[in-house]
Amino acid sequence: MTLSVVGYYEPWWIQIIKAIVIFAVALGILPLVIVYERKLIGRFQNRYGPNRVGPFGLLQPLAEIIKFATKEAFRPSTSVGVLFRLAPVISILTAVAAFALVPFGDVQHIFGTPVGLYGVDVSIGPLYLFAFGAVAFYGIMLGGWSSGSKYSFLGAMRGAAQLISYEVSQGLALVGVIFTAGTLSLTGIVHAQEGMWYVVPQFFGFLVFLIAGFAETNRAPFDLVEADAELVGGYFTEYGGTGWIAYMFAEYLNVLVVSGIVTTVFLGGWLLPFGIHPPGWVDPFVVLAKMFLIVTFFIWVRSTLPRLRYDQLMSFGWKILLPLATLNALVTAVLVVVTH
Amino acid sequence: MSAILFFIAAIGVIAGAIGVVTLSNPFYAVLSLVGHLLSLAVLFLLLRAEFVAAAQVVVYAGAVMVLYVFVVAYVGDEQQSLRSTLARRSRSRGADGRRPTGVLFAGALLVELLIALLGSGLKAVEGSGAPYAPGSRTFGTPAYIGNLLLTRFLLVFEVTSLLLLIAAVGGVVLARRRGGLDESVDIDYAPLAIPRPLGTGTMAEAVEGPSLAYAHAGVAEAGSPTESEHDGSGGGW
């Protein structure tokens, strides 16, 4: 039931509806994630977190969005206007496009039409993710460069170096899974996990991918891009209002994408353990629950670990993570050849 | 639909390519090259070559151009535009034959491309391309390309990887620090002339590990107090 069944044959109107749904779901979950993170971090730090706006502070992100959207749009006199406005758009567009890859369920028949509960199920699978990750780099780089500020520029440079360094390990971590599953299609990878989730046989791949995911999304402890003690705000120092919130949304959306991919590739996607097969409409909720766990882990790590130094970041990425990922791919390749 | 996409992408490709050679600011020239490569990826997609399109974006727009953007953003300056630099160079060194050589190479490339293009008899214009067949092993999918690379094009593939390996080794050899900086241009940036304690993030530590950095710093032998930082300047960033 992969792309050979639906894939190209979904009617055009379903694809348009899917695009809208993905955008709506992505941008609808984000405020919830943000308020969840703030409340959870508050709890980790022995305080309440936001609790004034609405019941339990749930309307806090709404109030913040209104505040940011109504702020005056200004830019530094040294900035480059067009690129300055374009950069956050690149960031958020690539993040949403990457989110389209996360499969929330198998092909379902909705009103008699087969619909895959995912944006796209491409034959190139994870490469699609890395392609958009490569373009997302320009969102950070152009934002930092066009701001015309040293802090922004340094933040952008750090971000770029970090993204390149950890993208390699991230890609190699997935290679083991692809060897084992024998397919690049993400729904195919989920189906290949019917017996056992890949977090068990590919544990090192899982670890490497998760750690590299922290770096790719510029989250603590790898948030040197926006190290506030030394760089003010990193590449978005000069942004305010909608530009800033676009960058913020892109960052949290990338967290969602990484947790979605981890869920799909290592945690069995919409599959449940012990051979439980719920009806099809439960699948998206299973995926969301698993993503929720990983997002919680992200927040937990953020409030636990201190920020790394830049040289630690680089030597960790190149000297520990990359050899580990390579070794994992190599051993998996040998095992696959031997057992088949 | 695909015709519309083709013309948009084709215009992007050509405009990007023209931008690379005409824009005087190197940063914009590099960005224009990025636009060119992305449009090229769209053309690959229209040819059902999904894997090639993704590889194009990941490798060229992602990895290669990132380095270009890095260098140009660090070094490039609006006042020092490419054109004025080139003009100054050609004035100072005179006509050293680079321009005719460039024209010669461009002409050779043009002839090669024309041979390749006309040699196919422009048959592709008549055809409708690869069929739009879904499946995991049809034209343009990773499995198909992997099969071709490991059977029909195995020799070329291996030779190319060897070439890339040589290039990587060559890059490492060239980038390795030789001899160090000239003492006269070396500026001491340390505010105080005291040795920096270990574990405080010198680049020498990152590159060589704490023990080696310690030996390098020469603290025990009462060497130059800030030598570790000087060493570090060649280590990476």
Side-chain angles (χ1 to χ4, degrees):
Chain A
M1 287 291 269
T2 55
L3 82 173
S4 54
V5 177
V6 275
Y8 301 120
Y9 293 128
E10 283 177 348
W12 59 272
W13 53 272
I14 282 190
Q15 297 189 359
I16 290 177
I17 291 174
K18 270 163 111 173
I20 295 170
V21 166
I22 286 166
F23 228 96
V25 166
L27 298 186
I29 295 179
L30 279 178
L32 290 176
V33 172
I34 290 174
V35 79
Y36 175 63
E37 162 158 43
R38 293 185 57 183
K39 284 196 86 78
L40 202 61
I41 280 199
R43 288 296 170 179
F44 276 122
Q45 297 169 348
N46 267 338
R47 55 188 174 84
Y48 286 113
N51 63 353
R52 299 288 172 198
V53 191
F56 309 108
L58 281 178
L59 297 181
Q60 180 75 26
L62 202 64
E64 279 171 6
I65 288 169
I66 292 172
K67 187 193 91 172
F68 280 117
T70 51
K71 269 184 150 181
E72 181 191 353
F74 64 90
R75 61 184 184 86
S77 57
T78 48
S79 65
V80 183
V82 184
L83 294 180
F84 189 74
R85 287 283 156 235
L86 185 69
V89 178
I90 296 177
S91 267
I92 200 155
L93 274 185
T94 51
V96 174
F99 194 67
L101 193 64
V102 179
F104 281 93
D106 212 341
V107 178
Q108 309 289 342
H109 290 268
I110 300 174
F111 302 121
T113 318
V115 179
L117 294 185
Y118 39 75
V120 280
D121 183 20
V122 280
S123 65
I124 50 174
L127 277 174
Y128 173 97
L129 179 76
F130 293 120
F132 277 102
V135 181
F137 154 82
Y138 290 100
I140 291 179
M141 186 67 219
L142 291 183
W145 185 81
S146 65
S147 293
S149 142
K150 288 190 179 62
Y151 291 121
S152 304
F153 183 65
L154 287 174
M157 283 303 178
R158 279 185 176 188
Q162 183 175 328
L163 284 188
I164 305 169
S165 308
Y166 281 81
E167 203 173 31
V168 185
S169 314
Q170 209 182 13
L172 273 174
L174 284 185
V175 167
V177 169
I178 293 163
F179 283 156
T180 320
T183 175
L184 276 163
S185 152
L186 285 183
T187 50
I189 289 177
V190 172
H191 282 295
Q193 298 179 71
E194 292 276 4
M196 184 193 286
W197 295 356
Y198 281 149
V199 65
V200 182
Q202 286 291 322
F203 186 67
F204 284 106
F206 170 72
L207 276 188
V208 171
F209 188 86
L210 202 60
I211 294 172
F214 278 98
E216 286 284 303
T217 51
N218 303 328
R219 297 277 304 181
F222 298 112
D223 57 344
L224 283 109
V225 177
E226 48 206 73
D228 33 12
E230 39 199 277
L231 283 180
V232 190
Y235 57 90
F236 52 75
T237 302
E238 304 294 344
Y239 282 88
T242 45
W244 188 86
I245 211 164
Y247 271 129
M248 221 57 211
F249 267 35
E251 184 186 325
Y252 280 89
L253 204 53
N254 281 326
V255 172
L256 284 182
V257 170
V258 168
S259 47
I261 297 295
V262 169
T263 303
T264 307
V265 172
F266 294 104
L267 298 182
W270 60 82
L271 301 175
L272 282 171
F274 313 119
I276 305 169
H277 286 290
W281 57 269
V282 184
D283 291 351
F285 297 101
V286 175
V287 175
L288 278 177
K290 289 177 181 174
M291 281 170 67
F292 176 78
L293 286 181
I294 295 169
V295 168
T296 310
F297 181 69
F298 265 78
I299 299 167
W300 188 11
V301 167
R302 180 185 165 184
S303 58
T304 308
L305 293 180
R307 183 179 297 137
L308 268 74
R309 261 189 352 242
Y310 192 71
D311 59 301
Q312 290 174 330
L313 173 94
M314 279 298 153
S315 52
F316 180 72
W318 288 107
K319 291 184 184 169
I320 299 175
L321 221 51
L322 186 60
L324 203 62
T326 315
L327 201 66
N328 179 53
L330 206 65
V331 170
T332 311
V334 171
L335 284 182
V336 165
V337 170
V338 167
T339 52
H340 277 63
Chain B
M1 186 63 191
S2 62
I4 299 170
L5 267 180
F6 170 78
F7 278 107
I8 293 175
I11 289 170
V13 167
I14 293 172
I18 292 175
V20 176
V21 289
T22 52
L23 287 173
S24 60
N25 186 333
F27 194 80
Y28 290 128
V30 169
L31 285 189
S32 165
L33 188 51
V34 174
H36 168 80
L37 293 172
L38 290 180
S39 312
L40 216 54
V42 175
L43 286 186
F44 283 135
L45 268 188
L46 286 173
L47 292 172
R48 328 264 194 268
E50 297 167 10
F51 178 78
V52 180
Q56 166 90 5
V57 175
V58 172
V59 175
Y60 287 104
V64 176
M65 292 320 291
V66 164
L67 294 181
Y68 278 57
V69 171
F70 251 126
V71 172
V72 172
Y74 267 128
V75 192
D77 195 354
E78 296 222 23
Q79 272 77 45
Q80 277 193 327
S81 72
L82 206 58
R83 193 175 291 166
S84 66
T85 313
L86 285 179
R88 200 170 57 243
R89 270 211 194 139
S90 64
R91 266 202 306 280
S92 64
R93 294 189 189 170
D96 54 358
R98 260 180 300 183
R99 188 177 292 247
T101 318
V103 171
L104 204 66
F105 273 109
L109 190 64
L110 182 72
V111 170
E112 276 178 30
L113 287 178
L114 279 181
I115 288 172
L117 201 65
L118 297 178
S120 73
L122 295 180
K123 285 194 291 283
V125 177
E126 301 291 337
S128 57
Y132 217 3
S136 57
R137 299 207 175 263
T138 51
F139 179 82
T141 55
Y144 188 82
I145 289 175
N147 259 336
L148 280 184
L149 281 184
L150 292 180
T151 53
R152 199 171 145 197
F153 299 110
L154 181 64
L155 185 68
V156 185
F157 181 61
E158 291 299 329
V159 168
T160 312
S161 60
L162 198 65
L163 196 68
L164 287 176
L165 183 69
I166 293 170
V169 172
V172 170
V173 170
L174 285 179
R176 202 187 42 150
R177 208 163 156 223
R178 284 155 302 178
L181 294 168
D182 187 5
E183 286 290 325
S184 58
V185 294
D186 216 358
I187 307 159
D188 202 349
Y189 287 111
L192 291 172
I194 49 171
R196 205 163 165 187
L198 287 175
T200 50
T202 57
M203 198 51 93
E205 278 171 34
V207 175
E208 303 174 328
S211 57
L212 270 170
Y214 195 79
H216 248 282
V219 184
E221 291 91 43
S224 165
T226 52
E227 203 179 314
S228 64
E229 281 157 347
H230 295 170
D231 276 346
S233 64
W237 306 102

